[in-house]
Amino acid sequence: MQLWIAEKPSVAKAICAELGIVKKGAGFNECKGGNTVTWCFGHLLEQAGPDAYTPEDVPVTKKGGKIWRMQDLPIFPSVWKLNVKPDKGVKAQLRTIKSLLGKADSIVNCGDPDREGQLLVDEILEFYKCRKPVSRFWVSAQDPASIKKGLKSLKPNSQFQGMKLAALGRSRADWLLGMNLTRALTLTHGAKERKLIAVGRVQTPTLALVAERDRTIKNFKAVPYFVLKADVSAARGSFTALWKPSDRQEGLDSEGRLVNPAVAKSLSDKLKPAKTAVVRKTETLPKKMAQPQAFSLADIQLEASNKYGFSAQETLDTCQSLYEIHKAASYPRSDCQYLPESQFNDAPKVLAAIAKTCPNLKELVLKADPTIKSQTWNDKKITAHHGIIPTQLPVDSSTSSVFLLPTQR
């Protein structure tokens, strides 16, 4: 029996749809060809807290936790421990996975195509000391075409151990910094007020950026400056000319703005009597604009905000829905703007799906040239995920509440 372990139920459902379900069980599905598919709900295991690494003779609080003491810091675990998350559903699913691991001949890691997805399944295999052969299922979209391609191209899980170690390193670095500094600062600066001072690898520098921005806004002082303009009418058209100061111009501030009112008035007085102007030189340069790259999550959030006023969370939720539920878009949490060259030949099918999903874009689709291989097709610049793009699966827009951004990309 080959056991497929998905990161979430939606991925398991997509895999089962292609393998073919024979029998449904509690927390798993038996499929054709001796395949069984089970799933996680994100991380089912979590890092043990500091109490697991401090001496047993440390006094405990009324709630049963060990008290915080400076003498126990810093805490550097020699052997890292994982605990099952305190949730009935998680515990039940882990029991199911443990039982299936015992029956399986081989395993397929179906975590999301990123570092965290790799670790999420690998840590379960290590937690239960699984030593059976493990393959890796790697797809960045859940449409049938992507799933079928992924099923036919399994790779040894060992090829992705670097990604697991990267996620593990990040997790342990977060723990070491957060647990130790939170306790140290709370004991030294928050003890009198019984105040928790939380520290985090991401949280603390982000808070510092917000605080610095607040200070800048609070201390901001408006500085008036002057801009000289001239409205010019000519036989070939009208335009507005802006005065451009020379390098030696007096009355400028450090940013090159005219801030001296006396100098501004003097220049204005000199220009007002002039009734004619001479255009000494005009230049027209043809320029080529490269095709835009694929959307990263930050790109599509900015586009949706500018065009529709959507918040970043609204855009992410919509993209996640397009990915998980409708299978109409690739993995959304991507910071990459490039696409794998292996998918270049899929462009006509993707364009056809766009035209079917959004009939108002059909004319643009017909004008598109799928033979153009732009700079966005670049294997060397692909990170954990490629850019966000539509899949080959069209969406029935008449029955769906999702949107697709009408862009020229």
Side-chain angles (χ1 to χ4, degrees), residues 144-169:
S146 297
I147 296 295
K148 287 176 183 177
K149 189 180 293 185
L151 294 175
K152 294 177 181 178
S153 56
L154 297 181
K155 298 179 180 179
N157 194 55
S158 57
Q159 291 184 10
F160 300 86
Q161 292 309 288
M163 299 192 76
K164 179 199 76 173
L165 293 174
L168 195 60

Side-chain angles (χ1 to χ4, degrees), residues 212-230:
E212 180 60 30
R213 182 63 177 164
D214 282 346
R215 278 195 292 268
T216 302
I217 293 172
K218 183 179 179 181
N219 298 324
F220 174 76
K221 293 181 180 179
V223 177
Y225 63 95
F226 303 88
V227 178
L228 298 176
K229 297 180 180 180

Side-chain angles (χ1 to χ4, degrees), residues 279-295:
V279 178
R280 297 189 181 279
K281 181 181 179 183
T282 63
E283 191 174 14
T284 302
L285 297 174
K287 291 186 177 182
K288 288 186 178 181
M289 181 180 294
Q291 293 85 352
Q293 294 172 317
F295 278 122

Side-chain angles (χ1 to χ4, degrees), residues 98-165:
K98 181 181 180 182
S99 174
L100 292 171
L101 285 173
K103 301 173 185 177
D105 299 303
S106 61
I107 318 295
V108 181
N109 179 339
C110 305
D112 280 354
D114 57 18
R115 293 174 295 182
E116 211 62 37
Q118 183 67 37
L119 173 63
L120 189 144
V121 176
D122 280 353
E123 67 184 5
I124 293 177
L125 301 180
E126 293 178 7
F127 188 74
Y128 289 121
K129 297 180 173 57
C130 178
R131 298 291 181 266
K132 297 176 180 180
V134 184
S135 301
R136 184 64 162 101
F137 172 80
W138 187 280
V139 297
S140 57
Q142 294 183 28
D143 61 289
S146 297
I147 296 295
K148 287 176 183 177
K149 189 180 293 185
L151 294 175
K152 294 177 181 178
S153 56
L154 297 181
K155 298 179 180 179
N157 194 55
S158 57
Q159 291 184 10
F160 300 86
Q161 292 309 288
M163 299 192 76
K164 179 199 76 173
L165 293 174

Side-chain angles (χ1 to χ4, degrees), residues 371-392:
T371 64
I372 296 175
K373 197 168 187 178
S374 70
Q375 60 184 345
T376 201
W377 301 96
N378 192 331
D379 286 342
K380 294 180 180 179
K381 295 190 176 182
I382 300 293
T383 54
H385 310 279
H386 60 65
I388 304 170
I389 57 171
T391 65
Q392 301 173 37

Side-chain angles (χ1 to χ4, degrees), residues 201-318:
R201 178 182 62 90
V202 176
Q203 164 191 322
T204 302
T206 302
L207 181 60
L209 290 172
V210 173
E212 180 60 30
R213 182 63 177 164
D214 282 346
R215 278 195 292 268
T216 302
I217 293 172
K218 183 179 179 181
N219 298 324
F220 174 76
K221 293 181 180 179
V223 177
Y225 63 95
F226 303 88
V227 178
L228 298 176
K229 297 180 180 180
D231 294 324
V232 181
S233 296
R236 295 174 59 183
S238 301
F239 62 92
T240 298
L242 295 178
W243 172 75
K244 185 178 180 181
S246 66
D247 295 337
R248 298 180 180 179
Q249 176 63 50
E250 297 179 351
L252 305 181
D253 66 5
S254 60
E255 296 183 23
R257 298 175 300 190
L258 180 57
V259 294
N260 189 312
V263 174
K265 186 177 186 306
S266 174
L267 289 169
S268 178
D269 291 343
K270 289 180 181 179
L271 290 171
K272 279 181 180 179
K275 299 299 182 181
T276 60
V278 177
V279 178
R280 297 189 181 279
K281 181 181 179 183
T282 63
E283 191 174 14
T284 302
L285 297 174
K287 291 186 177 182
K288 288 186 178 181
M289 181 180 294
Q291 293 85 352
Q293 294 172 317
F295 278 122
S296 68
L297 177 58
D299 292 331
I300 201 168
Q301 285 174 327
L302 180 61
E303 192 90 11
S305 175
N306 290 339
K307 287 194 173 184
Y308 307 110
F310 289 176
S311 69
Q313 189 61 49
E314 285 175 321
T315 303
L316 175 57
D317 291 343
T318 302

